[in-house]
Amino acid sequence: MSLEIIAENRCFDGRQLRVRHAATATQCDMTFAVFLPPKATTANVPVLYWLSGLTCTDENFTQKAGAQRYAAEAGIAIVAPDTSPRGDDVPDDPEGAYDFGKGAGFYVDATQAPWATHYRMYSYVTDELPNVIASEFPIARERASISGHSMGGHGALTIGLRHPDIYRSVSAFSPIVAPTQVPWGEKALGNYLGADRDAWRAHDACALVEAGKRTGNILIDQGEADDFLTNQLKPELFKNTCAEAGQNLTLRRQPGYDHSYFFIASFIGDHIGYHARALNAG
Amino acid sequence: MSLEIIAENRCFDGRQLRVRHAATATQCDMTFAVFLPPKATTANVPVLYWLSGLTCTDENFTQKAGAQRYAAEAGIAIVAPDTSPRGDDVPDDPEGAYDFGKGAGFYVDATQAPWATHYRMYSYVTDELPNVIASEFPIARERASISGHSMGGHGALTIGLRHPDIYRSVSAFSPIVAPTQVPWGEKALGNYLGADRDAWRAHDACALVEAGKRTGNILIDQGEADDFLTNQLKPELFKNTCAEAGQNLTLRRQPGYDHSYFFIASFIGDHIGYHARALNAG
């Protein structure tokens, strides 16, 4: 496989890379970010996958979360993929909306035309990308965890619940916990997966827990001043579902915090510490 | 005076604000950022002024430096102004170059047409903005320090050297230390201040030290992989000048680091610690 390093910056004595490659899953060039902590020069290190939210690329988290300091200290790599396929050949929302199409892959494998060819972010994130990472970087692939924000929090929860064998720990900021029940999710899942709502349940964290999927403890931070709290995020749905099903969940509601990266930056250290305990546990 | 808060985000239990006001010095609306640490809810806090580099606005430092964590811990406010006047009435580089005009005010008061009306960033930063801050926010104005990056490092050094009574400590990342001797500075100072190079020396850190200006210790971090190191920045000129003149200087050359905010993020904690010692010294 051929990887192109399109940017490299030294950061907290580690390496912050942007990498482009021709992806099989999405049938297009994909760009992702990798932060390699200083420890990666002498050992294979654990890896935290970060899934970003609507409108983001690989760069938002890299530039705005301030995560490198904590990852460098903990000796953990961070991989942040793009949020959708990209390129002139990739179809987009016909009206250019921010919540579907490019920048809004929702971490599913689309089954419907014209989306099914390229919009295969589930396979990309869970299969192709980890293979690329493991073969090209000093990563201990059996030590992986997953986190994300908003649409990416949805991705982290659903992927983590479906693959507890792969991801040792799961966390999210402001996640869409029940996409089958809110406008963002209904639009995206309806278009990518078709009208049959039963097919959507494999990509809905609440439905997965109801169906018996389990992972270790889940950590969620949710800002109480988040503009999307009551109409798109609805963390109480997941809290209730987890309580009824016996899925461990730490849901922290943070007064005054909104949906922005200023919120993520304020608590990413806690999340990296949480993942580091699972990843460095041996 | 009328201030408009155009954005507010909670961050590390403090308040990150974007503020717009009609500025007298620059005869246009100006936007600046203020981070107020948690301590500002109960006391007047010291303030660090941050001056940004070419092409930046008030937002780059706020979003990318990760400074809020350290400022929250130290109980220090950070004020980050824009880098030039803005607006349709403000003249810009006739060829739209990045290194002159909008986004490139160079922290001088222009004397030449058509720049002299609006391009008065020196007066704005040293006089009008501190007055606004002191009157509108819980700031202990007698406890101020100054820092910046690249063009903003030039601003911090020159302003700090000229006003040791106002700024208790001075630092810079990758500063333009001798604008009278490098292309960025020759273009900007020539256009803003005219052909008489003697007039430029009041805005050249090396020339100011040569002329007898002094401040307390100065801290500079400079990346050794900085693309602008040898043609625009030339830190050795300042090092030699300070050594000959007896101006205290701590110049740290950081191997592998470039000109980006990944570099700033890696060491901003050290700078805030350095300023906190001066600002909290009583």
Side-chain angles (χ1 to χ4, degrees), chain A residues 8-13 16 62-64 68-70 255-258 260 262 265-266, chain B residues 8-13 16 62-64 68-70 255-258 260 262 265-266:
Chain A
E8 173 163 359
N9 303 91
R10 193 166 180 84
C11 189
F12 286 98
D13 284 335
Q16 181 65 58
T62 301
Q63 295 182 346
K64 296 183 176 179
Q68 292 92 347
R69 172 181 174 177
Y70 308 101
Y257 285 91
D258 60 28
S260 73
F262 293 112
S266 300
Chain B
E8 173 163 359
N9 303 92
R10 193 166 179 85
C11 190
F12 287 98
D13 285 335
Q16 181 65 58
T62 300
Q63 295 182 345
K64 296 184 176 179
Q68 292 92 348
R69 173 183 173 175
Y70 308 100
Y257 285 91
D258 59 28
S260 73
F262 294 112
S266 300

Side-chain angles (χ1 to χ4, degrees), chain A residues 248-262:
Chain A
N248 287 326
L249 169 67
T250 302
L251 170 61
R252 309 194 304 186
R253 300 184 72 114
Q254 304 287 4
Y257 285 91
D258 60 28
H259 202 65
S260 73
Y261 265 90
F262 293 112

Side-chain angles (χ1 to χ4, degrees), chain A residues 45-96:
Chain A
V45 295
V47 57
L48 173 65
Y49 288 88
W50 173 270
L51 305 183
S52 292
L54 291 168
T55 76
C56 288
T57 70
D58 62 292
E59 291 197 287
N60 302 67
F61 181 77
T62 301
Q63 295 182 346
K64 296 183 176 179
Q68 292 92 347
R69 172 181 174 177
Y70 308 101
E73 289 173 355
I76 291 172
I78 301 179
V79 174
D82 203 349
T83 53
S84 77
R86 303 277 181 182
D88 293 342
D89 296 339
V90 175
D92 197 2
D93 185 286
E95 295 174 357

Side-chain angles (χ1 to χ4, degrees), chain A residues 190-263:
Chain A
N191 283 322
Y192 289 136
L193 303 179
D196 177 7
R197 285 178 170 249
D198 283 345
W200 302 3
R201 295 176 61 80
H203 296 283
D204 179 295
C206 285
L208 287 167
V209 171
E210 286 172 3
K213 297 291 187 187
R214 295 289 182 276
T215 184
N217 190 47
I218 298 171
L219 171 63
I220 293 177
D221 272 310
Q222 173 62 56
E224 292 199 327
D226 188 322
D227 287 338
F228 304 110
L229 179 60
T230 57
N231 60 335
Q232 304 280 8
L233 304 179
K234 299 179 182 286
E236 66 281 2
L237 295 178
F238 195 59
K239 185 178 182 183
N240 294 340
T241 299
C242 287
E244 290 170 15
Q247 166 64 51
N248 287 326
L249 169 67
T250 302
L251 170 61
R252 309 194 304 186
R253 300 184 72 114
Q254 304 287 4
Y257 285 91
D258 60 28
H259 202 65
S260 73
Y261 265 90
F262 293 112
F263 169 50

Side-chain angles (χ1 to χ4, degrees), chain A residues 91-113:
Chain A
D92 197 2
D93 185 286
E95 295 174 357
Y98 75 95
D99 58 1
F100 181 71
K102 292 180 182 175
F106 268 84
Y107 307 103
V108 302
D109 286 347
T111 57
Q112 306 298 302

Side-chain angles (χ1 to χ4, degrees), chain B residues 105-159:
Chain B
F106 270 83
Y107 307 103
V108 302
D109 287 348
T111 58
Q112 306 298 301
W115 317 108
T117 304
H118 297 288
Y119 284 85
R120 296 178 53 80
M121 289 299 291
Y122 188 87
S123 290
Y124 179 72
V125 167
T126 61
D127 184 28
E128 183 169 6
L129 182 59
N131 284 332
V132 169
I133 295 294
S135 72
E136 301 289 332
F137 298 100
I139 299 293
R141 77 173 297 168
E142 73 283 5
R143 299 190 183 196
S145 291
I146 193 162
S147 185
H149 174 233
S150 195
M151 174 183 76
H154 144 74
L157 294 178
T158 53
I159 289 171

